[in-house]
């Protein structure tokens, strides 16, 4: 429908411009060269009015049919392709804060923490945007006030990890274990917890997008109480306990 509307609009606009050129600037064959110039003032006004109406119609058509397609957040993307793990890099398994800002998750090289053991490490206040974790152990790690933008956090161990006051934007925890994880006062937008284990997690006072909260509430593992804060997992996320 969008393609047809745009094509029709282009054809209509082109057609109008052709007729304006043919009518307004074609010499009138009257035999008197002094009158072979432009059409009358009234006729030009009519054409200008017609073009104005056509322009308004074009704007309306574009606004209805040519608006941007709904874009899926990175957290909802299902398929990713990554290069092999560079196991020759002995310094690869370490938290490193991005210096380019979390908005674009840009780094000078792939931030690959796949299959790393970082259990109990402290990355509080770090900008970990663009990080790739798969088969990674970050259980009981501290991510207080840390930023995760466009982060791949799948099939990893986040049990007992603390994301208090953190920002998790367009990230994916698909298939990860987050048992006892704390997201107190965290911002969670465009983030997927599909297939993640959320038992005993705490989302108290966190900001969660309306689309994301519906999916979180559907997660059957959202139950129990957090062992550190005592918060009911479902209630802390604003969901009805199962």
């Amino acid at each position: 429908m969008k393609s047809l509307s745009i094509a029709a609009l282009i054809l209509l606009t082109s057609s109008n411009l052709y007729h304006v050129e043919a009518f307004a600037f074609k010499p009138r064959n009257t035999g008197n060269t002094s009158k072979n110039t432009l059409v009358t003032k009234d006729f030009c006004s009519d054409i200008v009015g017609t073009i104005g109406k056509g322009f308004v119609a074009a704007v309306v058509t574009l606004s209805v049919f040519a608006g941007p397609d709904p874009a899926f957040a990175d957290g909802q993307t299902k398929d990713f392709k990554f290069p092999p793990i560079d196991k020759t890099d002995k310094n690869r398994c370490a938290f490193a804060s991005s210096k380019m800002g979390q908005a674009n998750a840009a780094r000078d090289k792939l931030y690959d923490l796949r299959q790393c053991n970082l259990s109990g490490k402290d990355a509080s206040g770090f900008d970990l945007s663009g990080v790739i974790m798969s088969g990674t152990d970050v259980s009981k790690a501290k991510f207080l006030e840390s930023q995760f933008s466009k982060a791949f956090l799948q099939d990893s161990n986040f049990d007992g990890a603390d994301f208090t006051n953190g920002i998790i934007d367009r990230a994916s925890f698909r298939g990860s274990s987050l048992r006892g994880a704390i997201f107190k006062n965290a911002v969670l937008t465009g983030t997927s917890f599909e297939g993640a284990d959320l038992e005993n997690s705490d989302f108290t006072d966190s900001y969660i997008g309306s689309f994301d909260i519906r999916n979180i509430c559907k997660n059957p593992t959202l139950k129990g109480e957090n062992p550190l804060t005592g918060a009911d997992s479902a209630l802390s996320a604003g969901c009805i306990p199962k």
Side-chain angles (χ1 to χ4, degrees), residues 102 143 146-151 153 163-173 182-183 186-193 207 212:
Q102 66 94 17
F143 300 113
S146 296
Q147 301 175 22
F148 291 85
S149 179
K150 301 179 183 178
L153 310 171
F163 296 88
T164 298
N165 296 328
I167 298 176
I168 301 94
D169 175 50
R170 294 165 291 174
S172 175
F173 286 101
I182 300 174
F183 292 93
V187 175
L188 298 158
T189 54
T191 296
S192 172
F193 290 92
Y207 173 80
D212 302 313

Side-chain angles (χ1 to χ4, degrees), residues 64-93:
V64 174
F65 295 104
D69 289 322
F72 288 102
D74 291 10
Q76 309 303 326
T77 304
K78 293 184 179 295
D79 298 321
F80 293 87
K81 292 183 179 180
F82 299 119
I85 299 173
D86 182 9
K87 295 186 178 180
T88 63
D89 185 357
K90 302 303 180 182
N91 299 317
R92 182 177 63 85
C93 293

Side-chain angles (χ1 to χ4, degrees), residues 6 14 25 27 31 36 41 52 64 80-81 91 101 108 112 120 128 138 146 161-162 168-169 173 213 217 224 231-232:
I6 294 175
S14 300
F25 301 104
N36 280 347
K41 180 179 179 180
V64 174
F80 293 87
K81 292 183 179 180
N91 299 317
D108 56 359
D112 189 0
L128 301 173
V138 282
S146 296
D162 192 347
I168 301 94
D169 175 50
F173 286 101
I213 191 62
C217 290
D232 182 279

Side-chain angles (χ1 to χ4, degrees), residues 8-108:
L9 177 61
I10 293 173
L11 288 174
L12 178 60
T13 304
S14 300
S15 177
N16 284 339
L17 290 176
Y18 172 79
H19 286 300
V20 168
E21 179 183 2
F23 245 138
F25 301 104
K26 183 177 180 180
R28 299 171 65 186
N29 187 17
T30 62
N32 187 343
T33 56
S34 63
K35 295 182 180 180
N36 280 347
T37 53
L38 299 176
V39 292
T40 64
K41 180 179 179 180
D42 292 339
F43 185 69
C44 285
S45 298
D46 291 340
I47 290 180
V48 172
T50 302
I51 294 175
K53 293 178 181 178
F55 178 77
V56 173
V59 172
V60 173
T61 303
L62 286 173
S63 65
V64 174
F65 295 104
D69 289 322
F72 288 102
D74 291 10
Q76 309 303 326
T77 304
K78 293 184 179 295
D79 298 321
F80 293 87
K81 292 183 179 180
F82 299 119
I85 299 173
D86 182 9
K87 295 186 178 180
T88 63
D89 185 357
K90 302 303 180 182
N91 299 317
R92 182 177 63 85
C93 293
F95 288 126
S97 185
S98 171
K99 297 179 181 179
M100 300 184 185
Q102 66 94 17
N104 55 17
R107 291 177 181 269
D108 56 359

